[in-house]
Amino acid sequence: MAAKKGGLGKGLDSLIADKVGNSQADGKTEEKQEVLIPISKVEPNKEQPRKNFDEDALLELSESIKQFGVLQPLLVQDKKDYYEIIAGERRWRAAKLAGLKKVPVIVKHLTDQEIVEISLIENIQRENLNPIEEAIAYKRLLTEFNLKQDEIAERVSKSRTAVTNSMRLLKLNEKVQQMVIDDMISTGHARALLAISDEEKQYNLAQKIFDEKLSVREVEKLVKKLQNQKTAPIKENPDKAKMDAVYQDVEENMKTILGTKVTINQKDSMKGKIEIEYYSPQELDRIYELLQTIRK
């Protein structure tokens, strides 16, 4: 399918205005007309990019709707038995929470590609998509509608590099992708993990990032170290390997007991030091009280 020019880089309002003003049917221009319809007749689009909604933000919006109503109409498509949302699912959800019986809508007749594009740009402009949802939407435009990456970038007012980097996140282990969705790790962490091809190692490191609150820079160094270990010849002392395994087990047990990162730095076979990390004054107090109970 040939890519359409003019696209979404102009912004959602501009795109909708273009579609409304330029659509011709039997020599008549389609009018942009807002109407009230029963909220029970409106249903979300199952293919829309956004899957996750912040419950607290929805409650805030519903309180605003109770006072002022739905200020911006939903964009919908007539499906004969119901109206399918093209843009405005968040407003629809909040309106339901507010107890509204009717909502303002503008009924449109758009192609599947136009619906995906409008849903994508609406969510991007409002920063409503998580990084994985955004990447999936880009991939859909790429695979289903044969758009090129630079054409997608033009439509969403982003650089081609930003679109490419976004879609690269879909190469991650699915469990790691879910950690990005759940805000357990950042996109910076996720991009660093892409250098690890083994999905299980990728996920294990993602867990380590979350458990130990590692920074992106720390992860990059750790990934680089892992890659160097792959290429370097292995000259492991069997006795040292056994001791390292013992210390690692001790570290893990202490981490479980104390609920924070613990590092054992061995100076020689007889001595070393233990480092216990904390990330706030409250956490320091918690660790101190825990150690006090052990002393008793």
Side-chain angles (χ1 to χ4, degrees):
M1 180 182 293
K4 294 188 178 184
K5 294 293 178 185
L8 295 163
K10 296 180 180 180
L12 181 63
D13 295 335
S14 173
L15 177 72
I16 293 172
D18 287 347
K19 298 297 181 190
V20 171
N22 296 333
S23 177
Q24 296 288 331
D26 299 327
K28 297 179 181 180
T29 301
E30 183 183 353
E31 297 292 335
K32 180 178 180 180
Q33 188 174 2
E34 180 181 322
V35 294
L36 279 173
I37 63 172
I39 198 167
S40 59
K41 288 280 188 182
V42 181
E43 293 185 15
N45 177 3
K46 294 178 181 177
E47 298 298 323
Q48 90 119 324
R50 190 179 182 194
K51 305 298 180 187
N52 297 278
F53 294 85
D54 185 310
E55 292 299 327
D56 291 336
L58 278 177
L59 286 172
E60 285 182 16
L61 181 56
S62 71
E63 290 300 318
S64 173
I65 286 174
K66 284 178 185 177
Q67 294 184 55
F68 306 109
V70 180
L71 300 180
Q72 183 179 357
L74 283 63
L75 199 63
V76 300
Q77 184 157 245
D78 189 349
K79 291 287 190 177
K80 294 186 180 179
D81 295 331
Y82 65 96
Y83 294 91
E84 184 178 74
I85 298 171
I86 298 170
E89 183 175 341
R90 181 170 173 269
R91 276 165 276 150
W92 170 76
R93 286 173 177 263
K96 287 182 74 176
L97 285 173
L100 266 62
K101 301 300 181 186
K102 293 186 176 182
V103 287
V105 304
I106 296 172
V107 182
K108 297 293 296 132
H109 303 284
L110 303 173
T111 67
D112 288 344
Q113 179 177 334
E114 288 167 344
I115 290 171
V116 173
E117 289 180 354
I118 289 173
S119 297
L120 176 58
I121 193 60
E122 185 203 33
N123 283 297
I124 287 177
Q125 285 185 343
R126 290 170 173 78
E127 297 183 346
N128 285 334
L129 294 179
N130 66 56
I132 302 302
E133 288 173 336
E134 187 173 336
I136 290 170
Y138 291 151
K139 186 177 180 181
R140 190 174 174 206
L141 288 172
L142 189 77
T143 56
E144 286 188 34
F145 304 110
N146 299 320
L147 293 183
K148 297 177 181 176
Q149 288 190 21
D150 54 352
E151 292 170 333
I152 295 171
E154 180 186 349
R155 279 162 166 72
V156 298
S157 297
K158 293 201 174 189
S159 68
R160 186 181 185 280
T161 302
V163 172
T164 301
N165 284 338
S166 174
M167 286 194 292
R168 286 180 66 226
L169 295 177
L170 299 179
K171 295 180 180 179
L172 290 166
N173 179 320
E174 287 186 4
K175 291 184 286 187
V176 177
Q177 291 183 36
Q178 189 60 49
M179 291 178 74
V180 176
I181 292 171
D182 295 337
D183 282 330
M184 295 172 70
I185 62 173
S186 71
T187 52
H189 290 127
R191 281 194 289 270
L193 291 173
L194 283 165
I196 301 175
S197 56
D198 186 296
E199 289 196 355
E200 199 57 39
K201 289 181 180 178
Q202 200 180 79
Y203 177 61
N204 289 339
L205 183 51
Q207 289 279 26
K208 185 180 178 71
I209 292 168
F210 177 71
D211 291 341
E212 301 182 9
K213 301 178 178 64
L214 300 179
S215 68
V216 173
R217 184 61 58 86
E218 286 174 324
V219 176
E220 289 171 345
K221 288 180 179 178
L222 194 53
V223 168
K224 192 172 182 180
K225 184 178 178 182
L226 289 171
Q227 289 175 322
N228 289 338
Q229 285 176 351
K230 279 185 180 179
T231 56
I234 300 174
K235 295 181 180 178
E236 188 69 64
N237 182 326
D239 292 334
K240 185 179 182 303
K242 287 179 183 178
M243 289 305 299
D244 287 345
V246 169
Y247 285 122
Q248 189 173 359
D249 285 343
V250 173
E251 280 184 359
E252 288 299 319
N253 289 334
M254 292 185 71
K255 183 172 75 172
T256 301
I257 293 168
L258 297 175
T260 190
K261 182 178 179 181
V262 177
T263 306
I264 298 177
N265 294 312
Q266 182 186 5
K267 291 185 179 180
D268 55 41
S269 60
M270 299 298 293
K271 58 186 178 182
K273 64 178 180 179
I274 300 171
E275 292 182 359
I276 301 172
E277 295 195 14
Y278 64 92
Y279 305 95
S280 68
Q282 293 79 12
E283 189 167 18
L284 175 60
D285 289 341
R286 179 187 65 78
I287 295 169
Y288 176 73
E289 289 175 5
L290 181 60
L291 293 174
Q292 286 285 81
T293 61
I294 294 171
R295 188 183 68 173
K296 292 174 184 178

Short mmCIF file of all heavy atoms in Angstrom, two decimals, residues 171-203:
data_model
loop_
_atom_site.label_atom_id
_atom_site.label_comp_id
_atom_site.label_asym_id
_atom_site.label_seq_id
_atom_site.Cartn_x
_atom_site.Cartn_y
_atom_site.Cartn_z
N LYS A 171 12.79 -7.15 20.21
CA LYS A 171 13.71 -8.29 20.13
C LYS A 171 14.03 -8.84 21.52
O LYS A 171 14.65 -9.89 21.64
CB LYS A 171 15.01 -7.87 19.43
CG LYS A 171 14.82 -7.47 17.97
CD LYS A 171 16.14 -7.06 17.35
CE LYS A 171 15.98 -6.66 15.88
NZ LYS A 171 17.26 -6.22 15.28
N LEU A 172 13.61 -8.12 22.55
CA LEU A 172 13.87 -8.56 23.92
C LEU A 172 13.02 -9.78 24.29
O LEU A 172 11.94 -10.00 23.72
CB LEU A 172 13.56 -7.44 24.91
CG LEU A 172 14.50 -6.22 24.90
CD1 LEU A 172 13.86 -5.08 25.67
CD2 LEU A 172 15.86 -6.58 25.48
N ASN A 173 13.52 -10.55 25.24
CA ASN A 173 12.74 -11.62 25.86
C ASN A 173 11.38 -11.04 26.28
O ASN A 173 11.30 -9.93 26.81
CB ASN A 173 13.52 -12.11 27.10
CG ASN A 173 12.82 -13.21 27.85
OD1 ASN A 173 11.61 -13.20 28.03
ND2 ASN A 173 13.60 -14.15 28.33
N GLU A 174 10.29 -11.78 26.05
CA GLU A 174 8.95 -11.27 26.37
C GLU A 174 8.82 -10.92 27.85
O GLU A 174 8.11 -9.98 28.22
CB GLU A 174 7.89 -12.30 25.98
CG GLU A 174 7.68 -12.40 24.47
CD GLU A 174 6.52 -13.30 24.10
OE1 GLU A 174 5.83 -13.79 25.02
OE2 GLU A 174 6.32 -13.52 22.89
N LYS A 175 9.50 -11.67 28.71
CA LYS A 175 9.43 -11.37 30.15
C LYS A 175 10.15 -10.04 30.45
O LYS A 175 9.72 -9.30 31.35
CB LYS A 175 10.06 -12.51 30.95
CG LYS A 175 9.24 -13.80 30.92
CD LYS A 175 9.82 -14.88 31.80
CE LYS A 175 11.08 -15.50 31.23
NZ LYS A 175 11.55 -16.67 32.01
N VAL A 176 11.19 -9.75 29.69
CA VAL A 176 11.88 -8.48 29.86
C VAL A 176 11.00 -7.34 29.34
O VAL A 176 10.93 -6.26 29.95
CB VAL A 176 13.24 -8.49 29.13
CG1 VAL A 176 13.93 -7.13 29.25
CG2 VAL A 176 14.15 -9.58 29.70
N GLN A 177 10.32 -7.57 28.22
CA GLN A 177 9.38 -6.58 27.69
C GLN A 177 8.32 -6.23 28.74
O GLN A 177 7.97 -5.06 28.91
CB GLN A 177 8.71 -7.09 26.41
CG GLN A 177 9.63 -7.20 25.21
CD GLN A 177 8.88 -7.63 23.96
OE1 GLN A 177 7.74 -7.26 23.74
NE2 GLN A 177 9.53 -8.44 23.13
N GLN A 178 7.82 -7.25 29.44
CA GLN A 178 6.81 -7.01 30.46
C GLN A 178 7.39 -6.18 31.61
O GLN A 178 6.68 -5.35 32.19
CB GLN A 178 6.27 -8.35 30.99
CG GLN A 178 5.05 -8.20 31.91
CD GLN A 178 3.87 -7.54 31.23
OE1 GLN A 178 3.49 -7.92 30.13
NE2 GLN A 178 3.30 -6.53 31.87
N MET A 179 8.66 -6.38 31.91
CA MET A 179 9.30 -5.58 32.96
C MET A 179 9.39 -4.11 32.55
O MET A 179 9.29 -3.22 33.39
CB MET A 179 10.69 -6.14 33.27
CG MET A 179 10.65 -7.49 33.97
SD MET A 179 12.30 -8.18 34.29
CE MET A 179 12.84 -7.13 35.65
N VAL A 180 9.58 -3.86 31.25
CA VAL A 180 9.57 -2.48 30.75
C VAL A 180 8.17 -1.89 30.89
O VAL A 180 7.99 -0.76 31.35
CB VAL A 180 10.01 -2.43 29.27
CG1 VAL A 180 9.90 -1.00 28.72
CG2 VAL A 180 11.44 -2.92 29.11
N ILE A 181 7.15 -2.68 30.51
CA ILE A 181 5.75 -2.22 30.63
C ILE A 181 5.42 -1.89 32.08
O ILE A 181 4.75 -0.89 32.36
CB ILE A 181 4.79 -3.31 30.10
CG1 ILE A 181 4.96 -3.48 28.58
CG2 ILE A 181 3.34 -2.98 30.44
CD1 ILE A 181 4.21 -4.67 28.00
N ASP A 182 5.91 -2.71 33.01
CA ASP A 182 5.60 -2.54 34.43
C ASP A 182 6.51 -1.52 35.12
O ASP A 182 6.46 -1.37 36.34
CB ASP A 182 5.72 -3.88 35.16
CG ASP A 182 4.68 -4.89 34.69
OD1 ASP A 182 3.64 -4.46 34.16
OD2 ASP A 182 4.91 -6.11 34.83
N ASP A 183 7.36 -0.83 34.33
CA ASP A 183 8.29 0.18 34.88
C ASP A 183 9.28 -0.40 35.87
O ASP A 183 9.77 0.30 36.77
CB ASP A 183 7.52 1.34 35.56
CG ASP A 183 6.97 2.31 34.54
OD1 ASP A 183 7.58 2.46 33.46
OD2 ASP A 183 5.92 2.93 34.82
N MET A 184 9.57 -1.70 35.74
CA MET A 184 10.57 -2.31 36.61
C MET A 184 11.98 -1.97 36.12
O MET A 184 12.91 -1.88 36.92
CB MET A 184 10.37 -3.82 36.64
CG MET A 184 9.05 -4.25 37.28
SD MET A 184 8.73 -6.02 37.10
CE MET A 184 9.96 -6.71 38.21
N ILE A 185 12.13 -1.81 34.81
CA ILE A 185 13.39 -1.33 34.23
C ILE A 185 13.05 -0.26 33.20
O ILE A 185 11.95 -0.23 32.65
CB ILE A 185 14.21 -2.47 33.57
CG1 ILE A 185 13.43 -3.11 32.42
CG2 ILE A 185 14.60 -3.51 34.59
CD1 ILE A 185 14.25 -4.12 31.62
N SER A 186 14.02 0.62 32.91
CA SER A 186 13.78 1.71 31.96
C SER A 186 14.12 1.26 30.54
O SER A 186 14.72 0.21 30.32
CB SER A 186 14.65 2.91 32.34
OG SER A 186 16.03 2.62 32.07
N THR A 187 13.76 2.10 29.56
CA THR A 187 14.13 1.80 28.17
C THR A 187 15.64 1.84 27.99
O THR A 187 16.18 1.12 27.16
CB THR A 187 13.47 2.79 27.20
OG1 THR A 187 13.76 4.14 27.63
CG2 THR A 187 11.96 2.60 27.15
N GLY A 188 16.33 2.67 28.79
CA GLY A 188 17.79 2.70 28.74
C GLY A 188 18.38 1.37 29.17
O GLY A 188 19.30 0.84 28.53
N HIS A 189 17.85 0.81 30.25
CA HIS A 189 18.27 -0.53 30.68
C HIS A 189 17.98 -1.55 29.59
O HIS A 189 18.82 -2.40 29.27
CB HIS A 189 17.49 -0.95 31.94
CG HIS A 189 17.85 -0.18 33.17
ND1 HIS A 189 16.92 0.46 33.95
CD2 HIS A 189 19.05 0.05 33.76
CE1 HIS A 189 17.53 1.04 34.97
NE2 HIS A 189 18.82 0.80 34.88
N ALA A 190 16.77 -1.46 29.02
CA ALA A 190 16.34 -2.44 28.01
C ALA A 190 17.25 -2.40 26.79
O ALA A 190 17.63 -3.45 26.25
CB ALA A 190 14.89 -2.17 27.61
N ARG A 191 17.61 -1.21 26.33
CA ARG A 191 18.49 -1.10 25.16
C ARG A 191 19.86 -1.70 25.44
O ARG A 191 20.47 -2.31 24.57
CB ARG A 191 18.61 0.36 24.73
CG ARG A 191 17.41 0.86 23.92
CD ARG A 191 17.70 2.16 23.23
NE ARG A 191 17.80 3.26 24.17
CZ ARG A 191 16.76 4.01 24.55
NH1 ARG A 191 15.55 3.77 24.05
NH2 ARG A 191 16.90 4.99 25.41
N ALA A 192 20.34 -1.53 26.67
CA ALA A 192 21.63 -2.13 27.03
C ALA A 192 21.56 -3.66 26.99
O ALA A 192 22.51 -4.33 26.59
CB ALA A 192 22.05 -1.65 28.43
N LEU A 193 20.40 -4.20 27.37
CA LEU A 193 20.22 -5.66 27.40
C LEU A 193 20.16 -6.27 26.00
O LEU A 193 20.36 -7.47 25.84
CB LEU A 193 18.94 -6.01 28.16
CG LEU A 193 18.95 -5.76 29.67
CD1 LEU A 193 17.57 -6.00 30.26
CD2 LEU A 193 19.97 -6.67 30.36
N LEU A 194 19.87 -5.47 24.99
CA LEU A 194 19.78 -5.98 23.62
C LEU A 194 21.10 -6.58 23.14
O LEU A 194 21.11 -7.40 22.22
CB LEU A 194 19.35 -4.86 22.66
CG LEU A 194 17.86 -4.48 22.70
CD1 LEU A 194 17.63 -3.16 22.01
CD2 LEU A 194 17.02 -5.58 22.07
N ALA A 195 22.19 -6.19 23.76
CA ALA A 195 23.51 -6.72 23.37
C ALA A 195 23.68 -8.18 23.80
O ALA A 195 24.61 -8.85 23.36
CB ALA A 195 24.62 -5.86 23.97
N ILE A 196 22.79 -8.66 24.67
CA ILE A 196 22.85 -10.05 25.13
C ILE A 196 21.88 -10.88 24.31
O ILE A 196 20.67 -10.66 24.36
CB ILE A 196 22.49 -10.16 26.63
CG1 ILE A 196 23.46 -9.31 27.46
CG2 ILE A 196 22.52 -11.60 27.09
CD1 ILE A 196 23.11 -9.25 28.92
N SER A 197 22.39 -11.83 23.55
CA SER A 197 21.54 -12.61 22.65
C SER A 197 20.80 -13.74 23.37
O SER A 197 19.69 -14.11 22.98
CB SER A 197 22.38 -13.21 21.51
OG SER A 197 23.45 -13.99 22.03
N ASP A 198 21.38 -14.27 24.43
CA ASP A 198 20.76 -15.36 25.19
C ASP A 198 19.59 -14.79 26.00
O ASP A 198 19.79 -13.98 26.91
CB ASP A 198 21.78 -16.01 26.12
CG ASP A 198 21.23 -17.25 26.83
OD1 ASP A 198 20.28 -17.09 27.62
OD2 ASP A 198 21.76 -18.35 26.59
N GLU A 199 18.36 -15.23 25.69
CA GLU A 199 17.17 -14.65 26.31
C GLU A 199 17.11 -14.91 27.82
O GLU A 199 16.64 -14.06 28.58
CB GLU A 199 15.90 -15.19 25.65
CG GLU A 199 15.68 -14.65 24.24
CD GLU A 199 14.27 -14.86 23.75
OE1 GLU A 199 13.47 -15.51 24.46
OE2 GLU A 199 13.96 -14.36 22.65
N GLU A 200 17.56 -16.07 28.26
CA GLU A 200 17.53 -16.38 29.68
C GLU A 200 18.50 -15.50 30.45
O GLU A 200 18.18 -14.99 31.54
CB GLU A 200 17.84 -17.86 29.91
CG GLU A 200 17.39 -18.39 31.26
CD GLU A 200 15.90 -18.20 31.53
OE1 GLU A 200 15.09 -18.36 30.60
OE2 GLU A 200 15.56 -17.87 32.69
N LYS A 201 19.71 -15.33 29.89
CA LYS A 201 20.69 -14.43 30.53
C LYS A 201 20.19 -13.00 30.53
O LYS A 201 20.40 -12.25 31.49
CB LYS A 201 22.04 -14.53 29.79
CG LYS A 201 22.78 -15.84 30.01
CD LYS A 201 24.10 -15.86 29.28
CE LYS A 201 24.84 -17.18 29.51
NZ LYS A 201 26.12 -17.24 28.76
N GLN A 202 19.51 -12.64 29.46
CA GLN A 202 18.93 -11.31 29.34
C GLN A 202 17.93 -11.07 30.48
O GLN A 202 17.95 -10.03 31.16
CB GLN A 202 18.22 -11.24 27.99
CG GLN A 202 17.96 -9.87 27.43
CD GLN A 202 17.26 -9.99 26.10
OE1 GLN A 202 16.05 -10.22 26.03
NE2 GLN A 202 18.01 -9.86 25.01
N TYR A 203 17.06 -12.06 30.70
CA TYR A 203 16.04 -11.93 31.75
C TYR A 203 16.67 -11.93 33.14
O TYR A 203 16.27 -11.15 34.02
CB TYR A 203 15.03 -13.07 31.62
CG TYR A 203 13.97 -13.07 32.71
CD1 TYR A 203 13.10 -12.00 32.86
CD2 TYR A 203 13.86 -14.15 33.59
CE1 TYR A 203 12.13 -12.00 33.85
CE2 TYR A 203 12.90 -14.15 34.58
CZ TYR A 203 12.03 -13.08 34.71
OH TYR A 203 11.09 -13.07 35.69
#
